[in-house]
Amino acid sequence: MKDQTVIPGLDGVIATETDVSYLDVEQEEIVIKGYDLIELSEKITYIELAHLLFEGTLPNKEEEAKFESALKKEYALPDEFLSIYNNLPKDMNAMDALRTGISALGSFDPLLEDRSTSANREKSLRLLAKIPNIVANSYHKLTGATPVEPREDLPFSSNFLYMITGKVPTALEAEIFDQSLMVYSEHEMPNSTFTARVIASTQADIYGAYTGAVASLKGSLHGGANEAVMYLLLEGKTVDGLETLLFEKLKNKERIMGFGHRVYMKKMDPRATLMKKALKRLAKDRGREDLVEMCQRGEDILREEKGLYPNLDYYAAPVYYLLNIPIPLYTPVFFAARAVGLGAHVIEQHDNNRLYRPRVKYTGPRNLHP
Ligand code: SDX
Protein backbone atom coordinates (compact mmCIF):
# COMPACT_ATOMS: atom_id res chain seq x y z
CA MET A 1 0.00 0.00 0.00
CA LYS A 2 1.38 3.41 -0.99
CA ASP A 3 2.42 5.93 1.72
CA GLN A 4 -0.59 6.60 3.97
CA THR A 5 0.61 9.85 5.60
CA VAL A 6 -2.43 12.04 6.26
CA ILE A 7 -1.89 15.80 5.73
CA PRO A 8 -4.52 17.51 7.95
CA GLY A 9 -6.31 20.24 6.02
CA LEU A 10 -4.05 19.42 3.04
CA ASP A 11 -1.71 21.98 4.68
CA GLY A 12 1.08 22.78 2.19
CA VAL A 13 -0.09 20.17 -0.33
CA ILE A 14 0.39 21.31 -3.95
CA ALA A 15 -3.01 20.59 -5.55
CA THR A 16 -2.46 21.68 -9.14
CA GLU A 17 -0.34 23.61 -11.63
CA THR A 18 -1.73 27.03 -12.48
CA ASP A 19 -0.73 30.24 -14.24
CA VAL A 20 -3.42 32.24 -12.43
CA SER A 21 -1.69 33.20 -9.16
CA TYR A 22 0.88 32.25 -6.55
CA LEU A 23 1.57 33.42 -2.96
CA ASP A 24 5.32 33.98 -2.70
CA VAL A 25 5.49 34.25 1.11
CA GLU A 26 9.29 34.66 1.17
CA GLN A 27 9.18 37.59 -1.28
CA GLU A 28 5.88 38.77 0.32
CA GLU A 29 4.40 38.96 -3.17
CA ILE A 30 0.94 37.90 -4.37
CA VAL A 31 1.68 37.03 -8.01
CA ILE A 32 -1.29 37.44 -10.38
CA LYS A 33 -0.50 36.39 -13.98
CA GLY A 34 3.08 37.62 -13.46
CA TYR A 35 2.19 40.93 -11.78
CA ASP A 36 2.34 41.88 -8.06
CA LEU A 37 -1.26 42.27 -6.82
CA ILE A 38 -0.32 45.09 -4.42
CA GLU A 39 1.36 47.06 -7.24
CA LEU A 40 -1.66 46.39 -9.48
CA SER A 41 -4.02 47.54 -6.68
CA GLU A 42 -2.19 50.89 -6.52
CA LYS A 43 -1.91 51.45 -10.28
CA ILE A 44 -4.90 49.99 -12.15
CA THR A 45 -8.64 49.42 -11.66
CA TYR A 46 -10.61 46.30 -10.80
CA ILE A 47 -11.98 46.11 -14.36
CA GLU A 48 -8.46 46.08 -15.82
CA LEU A 49 -7.57 43.32 -13.33
CA ALA A 50 -10.71 41.39 -14.38
CA HIS A 51 -9.56 41.61 -18.02
CA LEU A 52 -6.12 40.32 -17.01
CA LEU A 53 -7.65 37.32 -15.20
CA PHE A 54 -10.23 36.43 -17.88
CA GLU A 55 -8.26 37.29 -21.03
CA GLY A 56 -4.66 36.91 -19.78
CA THR A 57 -3.49 40.45 -20.55
CA LEU A 58 -3.89 43.94 -19.14
CA PRO A 59 -6.24 45.79 -21.55
CA ASN A 60 -5.33 48.84 -23.59
CA LYS A 61 -7.88 51.66 -23.42
CA GLU A 62 -9.90 50.29 -26.36
CA GLU A 63 -9.96 46.73 -24.94
CA GLU A 64 -10.93 48.10 -21.50
CA ALA A 65 -13.84 50.10 -22.95
CA LYS A 66 -15.03 47.06 -24.94
CA PHE A 67 -14.76 44.79 -21.88
CA GLU A 68 -16.63 47.21 -19.59
CA SER A 69 -19.38 47.77 -22.16
CA ALA A 70 -19.81 43.98 -22.55
CA LEU A 71 -20.15 43.76 -18.76
CA LYS A 72 -22.74 46.53 -18.59
CA LYS A 73 -24.87 44.75 -21.19
CA GLU A 74 -25.06 41.83 -18.72
CA TYR A 75 -25.99 43.83 -15.57
CA ALA A 76 -29.71 43.06 -15.77
CA LEU A 77 -31.13 40.02 -13.95
CA PRO A 78 -33.72 37.83 -15.75
CA ASP A 79 -37.28 39.20 -15.38
CA GLU A 80 -38.92 38.01 -12.18
CA PHE A 81 -35.53 36.77 -10.89
CA LEU A 82 -35.86 38.73 -7.64
CA SER A 83 -39.28 37.17 -7.01
CA ILE A 84 -37.26 34.08 -5.93
CA TYR A 85 -36.76 35.93 -2.62
CA ASN A 86 -40.49 36.59 -2.09
CA ASN A 87 -41.03 33.19 -0.47
CA LEU A 88 -37.77 32.86 1.45
CA PRO A 89 -37.25 33.72 5.15
CA LYS A 90 -36.84 37.51 5.52
CA ASP A 91 -33.93 36.93 7.93
CA MET A 92 -32.11 34.74 5.40
CA ASN A 93 -28.32 35.04 5.68
CA ALA A 94 -27.02 37.27 2.84
CA MET A 95 -24.51 34.61 1.73
CA ASP A 96 -27.32 32.02 1.57
CA ALA A 97 -29.33 34.49 -0.52
CA LEU A 98 -26.35 34.93 -2.86
CA ARG A 99 -25.79 31.17 -3.05
CA THR A 100 -29.47 30.66 -3.91
CA GLY A 101 -29.35 33.39 -6.56
CA ILE A 102 -26.23 32.09 -8.31
CA SER A 103 -27.59 28.57 -8.34
CA ALA A 104 -30.88 29.73 -9.91
CA LEU A 105 -29.09 32.03 -12.38
CA GLY A 106 -27.46 29.05 -14.09
CA SER A 107 -30.80 27.82 -15.40
CA PHE A 108 -31.28 31.06 -17.32
CA ASP A 109 -27.94 30.70 -19.15
CA PRO A 110 -28.17 29.12 -22.63
CA LEU A 111 -24.47 28.15 -22.40
CA LEU A 112 -24.88 26.42 -19.01
CA GLU A 113 -23.56 23.02 -20.11
CA ASP A 114 -20.93 24.31 -22.56
CA ARG A 115 -17.47 23.95 -20.96
CA SER A 116 -15.46 25.40 -23.85
CA THR A 117 -13.03 28.21 -23.04
CA SER A 118 -15.09 30.77 -24.93
CA ALA A 119 -18.35 29.69 -23.26
CA ASN A 120 -16.74 29.70 -19.80
CA ARG A 121 -15.30 33.16 -20.47
CA GLU A 122 -18.75 34.40 -21.51
CA LYS A 123 -20.38 32.87 -18.41
CA SER A 124 -17.65 34.26 -16.12
CA LEU A 125 -18.33 37.71 -17.54
CA ARG A 126 -22.09 37.26 -17.00
CA LEU A 127 -21.50 36.17 -13.40
CA LEU A 128 -19.13 39.10 -12.78
CA ALA A 129 -21.79 41.49 -14.12
CA LYS A 130 -24.78 40.01 -12.30
CA ILE A 131 -23.38 39.02 -8.89
CA PRO A 132 -23.22 42.65 -7.60
CA ASN A 133 -26.87 43.04 -8.65
CA ILE A 134 -27.82 39.86 -6.74
CA VAL A 135 -25.73 40.88 -3.69
CA ALA A 136 -27.35 44.33 -3.45
CA ASN A 137 -30.91 43.55 -4.52
CA SER A 138 -31.45 40.22 -2.76
CA TYR A 139 -30.52 42.11 0.43
CA HIS A 140 -32.85 45.03 -0.40
CA LYS A 141 -35.62 42.53 -1.23
CA LEU A 142 -35.21 40.59 2.01
CA THR A 143 -34.94 43.74 4.16
CA GLY A 144 -38.00 45.32 2.53
CA ALA A 145 -36.05 48.08 0.79
CA THR A 146 -36.69 49.05 -2.84
CA PRO A 147 -34.33 47.30 -5.28
CA VAL A 148 -31.79 49.65 -6.93
CA GLU A 149 -31.37 49.53 -10.71
CA PRO A 150 -27.75 49.39 -11.96
CA ARG A 151 -26.39 52.63 -13.45
CA GLU A 152 -24.40 52.21 -16.66
CA ASP A 153 -23.11 55.79 -16.41
CA LEU A 154 -21.00 54.83 -13.38
CA PRO A 155 -17.75 52.80 -13.47
CA PHE A 156 -18.27 49.11 -12.56
CA SER A 157 -17.19 49.27 -8.89
CA SER A 158 -18.87 52.65 -8.27
CA ASN A 159 -22.12 51.17 -9.59
CA PHE A 160 -21.70 48.20 -7.21
CA LEU A 161 -21.28 50.48 -4.17
CA TYR A 162 -24.15 52.71 -5.42
CA MET A 163 -26.48 49.69 -5.67
CA ILE A 164 -25.68 48.75 -2.06
CA THR A 165 -25.94 52.20 -0.45
CA GLY A 166 -28.25 54.01 -2.90
CA LYS A 167 -25.75 56.90 -2.99
CA VAL A 168 -23.25 57.72 -5.75
CA PRO A 169 -19.81 57.30 -4.10
CA THR A 170 -17.39 60.22 -3.75
CA ALA A 171 -14.08 59.96 -5.64
CA LEU A 172 -12.30 58.80 -2.44
CA GLU A 173 -14.99 56.20 -1.65
CA ALA A 174 -14.94 54.92 -5.24
CA GLU A 175 -11.15 54.65 -5.28
CA ILE A 176 -10.95 52.79 -1.95
CA PHE A 177 -13.85 50.44 -2.75
CA ASP A 178 -12.30 49.61 -6.15
CA GLN A 179 -8.98 48.89 -4.40
CA SER A 180 -10.73 46.60 -1.89
CA LEU A 181 -12.23 44.59 -4.78
CA MET A 182 -8.75 44.18 -6.25
CA VAL A 183 -7.16 42.88 -3.05
CA TYR A 184 -10.10 40.48 -2.60
CA SER A 185 -10.04 39.41 -6.29
CA GLU A 186 -7.73 36.38 -6.33
CA HIS A 187 -5.55 34.59 -3.77
CA GLU A 188 -4.18 31.27 -5.18
CA MET A 189 -5.88 28.23 -3.63
CA PRO A 190 -8.06 29.17 -0.64
CA ASN A 191 -10.75 26.73 0.43
CA SER A 192 -13.46 28.36 -1.73
CA THR A 193 -11.34 28.35 -4.89
CA PHE A 194 -10.32 24.75 -4.27
CA THR A 195 -14.03 23.92 -3.79
CA ALA A 196 -14.83 25.49 -7.17
CA ARG A 197 -12.04 23.53 -8.89
CA VAL A 198 -13.06 20.25 -7.23
CA ILE A 199 -16.63 20.73 -8.48
CA ALA A 200 -15.49 21.79 -11.97
CA SER A 201 -13.17 18.76 -12.14
CA THR A 202 -16.21 16.44 -12.48
CA GLN A 203 -17.14 18.48 -15.61
CA ALA A 204 -19.91 20.16 -13.61
CA ASP A 205 -20.81 23.65 -14.85
CA ILE A 206 -19.36 26.97 -13.70
CA TYR A 207 -22.56 28.02 -11.87
CA GLY A 208 -22.33 24.90 -9.70
CA ALA A 209 -18.65 25.65 -9.05
CA TYR A 210 -19.46 29.22 -7.93
CA THR A 211 -22.38 27.95 -5.81
CA GLY A 212 -20.05 25.63 -3.91
CA ALA A 213 -17.51 28.42 -3.52
CA VAL A 214 -20.14 30.71 -1.94
CA ALA A 215 -21.05 27.97 0.53
CA SER A 216 -17.38 27.61 1.48
CA LEU A 217 -16.61 31.32 1.73
CA LYS A 218 -19.48 31.87 4.20
CA GLY A 219 -17.57 30.00 6.92
CA SER A 220 -16.16 32.17 9.75
CA LEU A 221 -12.69 30.61 9.33
CA HIS A 222 -12.72 31.92 5.76
CA GLY A 223 -14.67 34.80 4.21
CA GLY A 224 -17.14 35.13 7.09
CA ALA A 225 -14.33 36.59 9.23
CA ASN A 226 -14.74 40.15 7.91
CA GLU A 227 -18.26 40.46 9.32
CA ALA A 228 -17.09 38.98 12.65
CA VAL A 229 -14.26 41.55 12.81
CA MET A 230 -16.73 44.43 12.58
CA TYR A 231 -18.99 43.00 15.29
CA LEU A 232 -15.88 42.61 17.48
CA LEU A 233 -14.85 46.26 16.96
CA LEU A 234 -18.41 47.47 17.68
CA GLU A 235 -18.56 45.34 20.83
CA GLY A 236 -15.22 46.80 21.98
CA LYS A 237 -16.50 50.37 21.27
CA THR A 238 -13.26 52.09 22.38
CA VAL A 239 -9.52 51.31 22.39
CA ASP A 240 -9.68 50.31 26.07
CA GLY A 241 -12.92 48.39 25.56
CA LEU A 242 -11.40 46.40 22.71
CA GLU A 243 -8.27 45.70 24.75
CA THR A 244 -10.36 44.29 27.62
CA LEU A 245 -12.46 42.23 25.21
CA LEU A 246 -9.43 40.77 23.42
CA PHE A 247 -7.63 39.78 26.61
CA GLU A 248 -10.83 38.12 27.84
CA LYS A 249 -11.24 36.18 24.59
CA LEU A 250 -7.58 35.15 24.56
CA LYS A 251 -7.89 33.98 28.18
CA ASN A 252 -10.84 31.82 27.06
CA LYS A 253 -8.70 30.47 24.19
CA GLU A 254 -11.11 31.95 21.64
CA ARG A 255 -10.13 32.64 18.02
CA ILE A 256 -9.93 36.32 17.16
CA MET A 257 -11.40 36.85 13.72
CA GLY A 258 -9.23 38.77 11.25
CA PHE A 259 -5.96 37.33 12.53
CA GLY A 260 -3.79 34.49 11.33
CA HIS A 261 -3.56 32.82 7.95
CA ARG A 262 -2.79 29.29 6.79
CA VAL A 263 -0.18 30.53 4.29
CA TYR A 264 1.14 33.77 5.85
CA MET A 265 1.24 32.24 9.34
CA LYS A 266 3.53 34.55 11.34
CA LYS A 267 3.63 37.34 8.71
CA MET A 268 1.39 40.26 7.87
CA ASP A 269 -0.92 39.64 4.90
CA PRO A 270 0.35 42.17 2.30
CA ARG A 271 -3.27 42.96 1.45
CA ALA A 272 -3.94 43.96 5.07
CA THR A 273 -1.11 46.49 4.88
CA LEU A 274 -2.71 48.08 1.81
CA MET A 275 -6.21 48.14 3.37
CA LYS A 276 -4.74 49.64 6.57
CA LYS A 277 -3.46 52.58 4.50
CA ALA A 278 -6.88 52.90 2.86
CA LEU A 279 -8.58 52.85 6.28
CA LYS A 280 -6.35 55.71 7.49
CA ARG A 281 -7.30 57.85 4.47
CA LEU A 282 -11.01 57.12 4.81
CA ALA A 283 -11.02 57.54 8.62
CA LYS A 284 -9.34 60.95 8.26
CA ASP A 285 -11.96 61.96 5.71
CA ARG A 286 -14.71 60.83 8.11
CA GLY A 287 -13.12 62.14 11.33
CA ARG A 288 -13.00 58.54 12.64
CA GLU A 289 -9.33 58.18 13.48
CA ASP A 290 -10.53 56.49 16.68
CA LEU A 291 -11.30 53.41 14.56
CA VAL A 292 -7.69 53.34 13.32
CA GLU A 293 -6.41 53.55 16.90
CA MET A 294 -8.68 50.66 17.93
CA CYS A 295 -7.48 48.49 15.04
CA GLN A 296 -3.83 49.31 15.80
CA ARG A 297 -4.31 48.37 19.46
CA GLY A 298 -5.89 45.06 18.44
CA GLU A 299 -3.04 44.39 16.02
CA ASP A 300 -0.44 45.11 18.74
CA ILE A 301 -2.17 42.82 21.27
CA LEU A 302 -2.44 39.81 18.92
CA ARG A 303 1.17 40.21 17.79
CA GLU A 304 2.48 40.57 21.37
CA GLU A 305 0.28 37.87 22.93
CA LYS A 306 0.01 35.27 20.12
CA GLY A 307 2.55 36.23 17.46
CA LEU A 308 -0.39 36.59 15.07
CA TYR A 309 -0.81 39.22 12.35
CA PRO A 310 -3.89 40.70 10.68
CA ASN A 311 -5.21 39.20 7.47
CA LEU A 312 -7.09 41.20 4.83
CA ASP A 313 -10.43 40.84 6.62
CA TYR A 314 -9.20 42.71 9.70
CA TYR A 315 -8.74 46.00 7.83
CA ALA A 316 -11.32 45.48 5.08
CA ALA A 317 -14.10 45.33 7.68
CA PRO A 318 -13.71 48.87 9.12
CA VAL A 319 -13.20 50.21 5.57
CA TYR A 320 -16.57 48.71 4.57
CA TYR A 321 -18.12 50.11 7.76
CA LEU A 322 -16.99 53.65 6.84
CA LEU A 323 -18.29 53.07 3.28
CA ASN A 324 -21.73 52.46 4.85
CA ILE A 325 -21.95 48.89 3.56
CA PRO A 326 -24.32 46.87 5.80
CA ILE A 327 -22.26 44.34 7.82
CA PRO A 328 -24.18 41.30 6.48
CA LEU A 329 -22.95 42.27 2.99
CA TYR A 330 -19.21 42.26 3.80
CA THR A 331 -18.72 38.61 2.84
CA PRO A 332 -21.02 38.78 -0.22
CA VAL A 333 -18.90 41.76 -1.41
CA PHE A 334 -15.77 39.66 -0.83
CA PHE A 335 -17.33 36.90 -2.97
CA ALA A 336 -18.37 39.36 -5.70
CA ALA A 337 -14.76 40.58 -5.90
CA ARG A 338 -13.44 36.99 -6.00
CA ALA A 339 -15.70 36.21 -8.99
CA VAL A 340 -12.83 37.20 -11.33
CA GLY A 341 -10.39 34.79 -9.69
CA LEU A 342 -12.94 31.98 -9.61
CA GLY A 343 -13.68 32.46 -13.31
CA ALA A 344 -10.00 32.18 -14.20
CA HIS A 345 -9.64 29.00 -12.13
CA VAL A 346 -12.73 27.25 -13.52
CA ILE A 347 -11.68 28.11 -17.10
CA GLU A 348 -8.24 26.63 -16.38
CA GLN A 349 -9.72 23.53 -14.72
CA HIS A 350 -12.08 22.78 -17.62
CA ASP A 351 -9.32 23.45 -20.18
CA ASN A 352 -6.91 20.97 -18.60
CA ASN A 353 -8.87 18.72 -16.32
CA ARG A 354 -8.04 15.86 -13.98
CA LEU A 355 -10.84 14.66 -11.66
CA TYR A 356 -10.01 15.36 -7.99
CA ARG A 357 -10.34 12.09 -6.09
CA PRO A 358 -8.02 11.76 -3.04
CA ARG A 359 -7.67 8.58 -0.90
CA VAL A 360 -8.03 7.97 2.85
CA LYS A 361 -6.23 6.32 5.74
CA TYR A 362 -8.89 3.93 7.01
CA THR A 363 -9.05 3.67 10.83
CA GLY A 364 -12.30 1.72 11.17
CA PRO A 365 -12.79 -2.04 11.79
CA ARG A 366 -12.46 -4.77 9.11
CA ASN A 367 -13.87 -8.26 8.41
CA LEU A 368 -17.12 -7.73 10.32
CA HIS A 369 -20.10 -9.83 9.15
CA PRO A 370 -23.86 -9.01 9.54
C1 SDX B 1 -9.42 34.25 4.50
O1 SDX B 1 -6.68 30.81 2.26
C2 SDX B 1 -6.85 32.10 1.91
O2 SDX B 1 -6.10 32.70 1.15
C3 SDX B 1 -8.07 32.72 2.54
C4 SDX B 1 -8.23 34.20 2.31
C5 SDX B 1 -8.53 34.51 0.85
O3 SDX B 1 -8.17 35.57 0.36
O4 SDX B 1 -9.27 33.66 0.22
O5 SDX B 1 -7.03 34.87 2.67
C6 SDX B 1 -9.38 34.77 3.12
O6 SDX B 1 -10.08 33.29 4.75
C7 SDX B 1 -8.54 34.89 5.55
C8 SDX B 1 -8.67 34.17 6.95
C9 SDX B 1 -9.93 34.71 7.62
N1 SDX B 1 -10.20 33.93 8.84
C10 SDX B 1 -10.04 34.43 10.07
O7 SDX B 1 -9.60 35.56 10.29
C11 SDX B 1 -10.49 33.49 11.19
C12 SDX B 1 -9.46 33.49 12.31
N2 SDX B 1 -8.25 32.85 11.79
C13 SDX B 1 -8.02 31.51 12.19
O8 SDX B 1 -9.11 30.69 12.44
C14 SDX B 1 -6.84 30.88 11.47
O9 SDX B 1 -5.78 31.75 11.56
C15 SDX B 1 -7.00 30.41 10.04
C16 SDX B 1 -8.22 29.60 9.86
C17 SDX B 1 -7.06 31.59 9.14
C18 SDX B 1 -5.78 29.58 9.68
O10 SDX B 1 -5.79 28.53 10.55
P1 SDX B 1 -4.76 27.31 10.48
O11 SDX B 1 -3.71 27.52 9.46
O12 SDX B 1 -5.58 26.07 10.38
O13 SDX B 1 -4.03 27.43 11.87
P2 SDX B 1 -4.53 26.73 13.18
O14 SDX B 1 -6.00 26.87 13.30
O15 SDX B 1 -3.94 25.36 13.21
O16 SDX B 1 -3.86 27.64 14.31
C19 SDX B 1 -2.47 27.48 14.63
C20 SDX B 1 -2.34 28.06 16.03
C21 SDX B 1 -3.37 27.49 17.01
O17 SDX B 1 -2.79 27.60 18.31
P3 SDX B 1 -2.52 26.24 19.14
O18 SDX B 1 -3.90 25.57 19.22
O19 SDX B 1 -1.54 25.45 18.25
O20 SDX B 1 -1.97 26.72 20.43
O21 SDX B 1 -2.59 29.49 16.00
C22 SDX B 1 -3.76 29.76 16.80
C23 SDX B 1 -4.51 28.46 16.96
O22 SDX B 1 -5.27 28.48 18.15
N3 SDX B 1 -4.57 30.71 16.02
C24 SDX B 1 -5.32 31.64 16.56
C25 SDX B 1 -5.87 32.32 15.48
N4 SDX B 1 -5.45 31.78 14.34
C26 SDX B 1 -4.65 30.76 14.69
N5 SDX B 1 -5.56 31.98 17.85
C27 SDX B 1 -6.40 33.03 18.06
N6 SDX B 1 -6.97 33.74 17.06
C28 SDX B 1 -6.73 33.41 15.77
N7 SDX B 1 -7.29 34.12 14.80
Side-chain angles (χ1 to χ4, degrees):
M1 186 67 182
K2 280 202 304 191
D3 174 18
Q4 287 228 314
T5 311
V6 175
I7 314 284
L10 300 182
D11 195 344
V13 168
I14 306 296
T16 187
E17 276 189 7
T18 178
D19 72 2
V20 177
S21 69
Y22 168 62
L23 304 186
D24 186 337
V25 183
E26 292 318 308
Q27 300 297 321
E28 298 190 5
E29 182 180 352
I30 301 166
V31 183
I32 308 280
K33 294 275 185 186
Y35 296 89
D36 172 1
L37 177 61
I38 302 307
E39 183 182 1
L40 288 176
S41 303
E42 291 172 327
K43 291 184 178 169
I44 68 171
T45 64
Y46 178 74
I47 281 306
E48 290 172 286
L49 179 58
H51 188 281
L52 173 64
L53 281 160
F54 285 176
E55 307 293 335
T57 59
L58 283 176
N60 58 36
K61 282 300 161 211
E62 193 193 327
E63 288 164 333
E64 183 188 351
K66 188 163 164 258
F67 185 75
E68 188 151 23
S69 114
L71 263 181
K72 292 181 174 181
K73 286 196 183 77
E74 292 289 354
Y75 275 170
L77 294 171
D79 292 340
E80 286 311 296
F81 180 88
L82 287 175
S83 62
I84 292 171
Y85 299 102
N86 290 344
N87 303 307
L88 293 171
K90 290 301 166 219
D91 61 352
M92 187 178 201
N93 177 290
M95 281 296 273
D96 297 347
L98 175 58
R99 190 191 63 217
T100 305
I102 289 175
S103 181
L105 197 61
S107 310
F108 293 89
D109 194 317
L111 297 178
L112 178 64
E113 305 298 353
D114 183 339
R115 292 185 305 279
S116 65
T117 311
S118 59
N120 273 339
R121 275 217 185 105
E122 198 176 321
K123 288 182 282 184
S124 301
L125 189 104
R126 259 200 278 285
L127 278 155
L128 176 61
K130 291 174 174 14
I131 285 172
N133 195 340
I134 298 175
V135 165
N137 284 316
S138 62
Y139 185 73
H140 295 325
K141 194 86 180 156
L142 290 169
T143 54
T146 313
V148 178
E149 284 302 311
R151 278 186 50 172
E152 296 197 14
D153 60 317
L154 297 174
F156 176 85
S157 51
S158 299
N159 171 63
F160 187 7
L161 187 54
Y162 161 74
M163 292 181 77
I164 291 173
T165 65
K167 291 191 180 60
V168 175
T170 64
L172 177 66
E173 290 166 342
E175 182 196 337
I176 286 176
F177 184 64
D178 191 79
Q179 202 171 56
S180 80
L181 297 183
M182 282 194 274
V183 287
Y184 266 130
S185 64
E186 166 55 20
H187 205 235
E188 193 198 79
M189 196 54 76
N191 186 288
S192 47
T193 302
F194 184 54
T195 302
R197 290 195 74 138
V198 165
I199 292 170
S201 78
T202 69
Q203 306 285 34
D205 64 82
I206 194 167
Y207 287 88
Y210 275 56
T211 301
V214 180
S216 154
L217 194 74
K218 173 185 173 186
S220 62
L221 294 187
H222 192 5
N226 55 16
E227 296 178 14
V229 167
M230 200 59 230
Y231 289 123
L232 177 76
L233 295 174
L234 293 173
E235 190 183 345
K237 288 194 184 64
T238 63
V239 174
D240 292 344
L242 181 67
E243 178 171 329
T244 308
L245 189 59
L246 287 176
F247 277 112
E248 196 182 300
K249 286 181 176 291
L250 289 172
K251 187 160 73 34
N252 302 335
K253 297 247 176 283
E254 289 178 48
R255 274 176 190 250
I256 315 298
M257 298 293 117
F259 289 93
H261 196 280
R262 172 62 64 79
V263 175
Y264 296 121
M265 292 182 288
K266 305 287 181 191
K267 282 194 166 187
M268 181 97 160
D269 180 339
R271 303 168 299 171
T273 306
L274 190 91
M275 270 295 109
K276 184 175 179 179
K277 274 192 265 177
L279 174 63
K280 287 180 177 170
R281 290 174 64 203
L282 198 52
K284 192 163 181 300
D285 179 70
R286 295 281 204 276
R288 286 298 315 269
E289 285 93 336
D290 60 304
L291 206 44
V292 179
E293 282 166 53
M294 271 181 80
C295 291
Q296 185 59 57
R297 189 73 191 96
E299 184 180 329
D300 296 342
I301 291 170
L302 267 291
R303 187 185 59 253
E304 290 153 12
E305 300 300 318
K306 294 281 288 185
L308 287 169
Y309 290 80
N311 54 54
L312 170 54
D313 293 323
Y314 184 68
Y315 281 107
V319 164
Y320 285 172
Y321 184 73
L322 294 181
L323 289 175
N324 300 316
I325 296 172
I327 296 175
L329 290 189
Y330 290 11
T331 311
V333 168
F334 176 167
F335 186 85
R338 187 59 54 90
V340 290
L342 289 171
H345 279 283
V346 172
I347 289 167
E348 186 177 70
Q349 187 68 40
H350 277 165
D351 282 355
N352 179 18
N353 189 47
R354 177 97 174 112
L355 175 72
Y356 279 103
R357 203 284 186 209
R359 294 300 310 276
V360 297
K361 179 173 188 175
Y362 178 66
T363 58
R366 295 290 307 272
N367 305 316
L368 299 181
H369 301 286

